[in-house]
Amino acid sequence: MSVKPIRLFGDPVLRMTAQPVTTFDRELRTLVKDLTDTMRDAPGAGLAAPQLGVSLRVFTYLVEGELGHLINPDLSLSEEEQDGPEGCLSLPGLTYDCRRAYGVVARGFNMYGDPVTVEGTERLARCIQHETDHLDGVIFIDRLDTEQRKAALKAIREAEWADGAAPPVKVSPHSTFGRAL
C-alpha cells in the first residue's frame, strides 16, 4: 500500500492548472496506484493528482462500488442540475451544498493510454466534476454562493488543520517533467 500525504487548502499546487499526461508509462501507473491507495485510505470518493502535489491531469474515483481512474478528462455536462452535499479531502471535515450538473459523460484515457468513456449521474457525476475541477485549479468552495463561501472560508480559518502557516512544499516522488512544486 502506498498512501501519500494529501495537500490541504492553501497549498499552491491546488490552484495550478494541471498539465496533460503525454507519457503512459510505469511512473503513471504508480501514480494511479498511489492515488487509489490514498483515496481508499482517507476514505474519499475521489482524489486528483494535484492533491498529492503532482500537477498532471489524472484522478481516481470510488463511487457506489465503482472504482476507476481517468486521465486527461474532457467532460460533457447535462443541462439538468443537482444540489447536494460536497466535501473534499483537501478541506477535511467541511461539507457544503454545491450545485453541479446532474449528468456527465467524461472521455479520457486509462493508465495504459486506451480511450475510456465514463457516464454517470448524481453522485458519480458530482465526483467526476469535482475531480476535474481540481485539475483546473478550482476547489469546490469556489462554486458556492457568496454566503456559503464566506462561511466555508471562516470554517477553514478555524479548522485544526489550518494553522495559518504556508504549507510545506514537498518534492513529488513521481516524474512530473518539471510541472509540479
Side-chain angles (χ1 to χ4, degrees), residues 6-83:
I6 296 172
R7 302 291 180 101
L8 299 177
F9 181 82
D11 190 312
V13 74
L14 296 176
R15 291 302 193 173
M16 295 172 62
T17 300
Q19 298 298 309
V21 171
T22 56
T23 304
F24 294 81
D25 58 6
R26 184 168 23 129
E27 288 184 41
L28 177 64
R29 291 187 293 279
T30 299
L31 173 60
V32 170
K33 182 180 180 341
D34 290 349
L35 284 165
T36 302
D37 290 349
T38 304
M39 172 188 65
R40 292 183 95 151
D41 182 71
L47 190 65
Q51 292 177 278
L52 296 188
V54 180
S55 190
L56 290 172
R57 298 188 72 76
V58 180
F59 70 81
T60 57
Y61 59 90
L62 176 59
V63 177
E64 296 167 356
E66 184 177 344
L67 176 65
H69 65 277
L70 199 56
I71 298 166
N72 298 337
D74 180 41
L75 306 186
S76 296
L77 304 176
S78 69
E79 290 186 25
E80 187 179 357
E81 294 183 330
Q82 63 173 317
D83 277 317

Side-chain angles (χ1 to χ4, degrees), residues 36-143:
T36 302
D37 290 349
T38 304
M39 172 188 65
R40 292 183 95 151
D41 182 71
L47 190 65
Q51 292 177 278
L52 296 188
V54 180
S55 190
L56 290 172
R57 298 188 72 76
V58 180
F59 70 81
T60 57
Y61 59 90
L62 176 59
V63 177
E64 296 167 356
E66 184 177 344
L67 176 65
H69 65 277
L70 199 56
I71 298 166
N72 298 337
D74 180 41
L75 306 186
S76 296
L77 304 176
S78 69
E79 290 186 25
E80 187 179 357
E81 294 183 330
Q82 63 173 317
D83 277 317
E86 198 162 318
C88 181
L89 294 174
S90 291
L91 295 125
L94 302 181
T95 304
Y96 294 92
D97 279 349
C98 184
R99 182 175 297 274
R100 296 277 186 184
Y102 177 77
V104 67
V105 176
R107 290 176 179 80
F109 300 91
N110 68 16
M111 67 179 120
Y112 302 102
D114 300 322
V116 175
T117 299
V118 180
E119 295 183 50
T121 58
E122 298 177 351
R123 192 157 184 244
L124 181 57
R126 178 176 298 283
C127 178
I128 289 170
Q129 292 170 75
H130 178 108
E131 299 310 327
T132 301
D133 272 355
H134 273 301
L135 305 181
D136 295 326
V138 176
I139 298 173
F140 88 98
I141 61 170
D142 299 336
R143 296 192 175 275

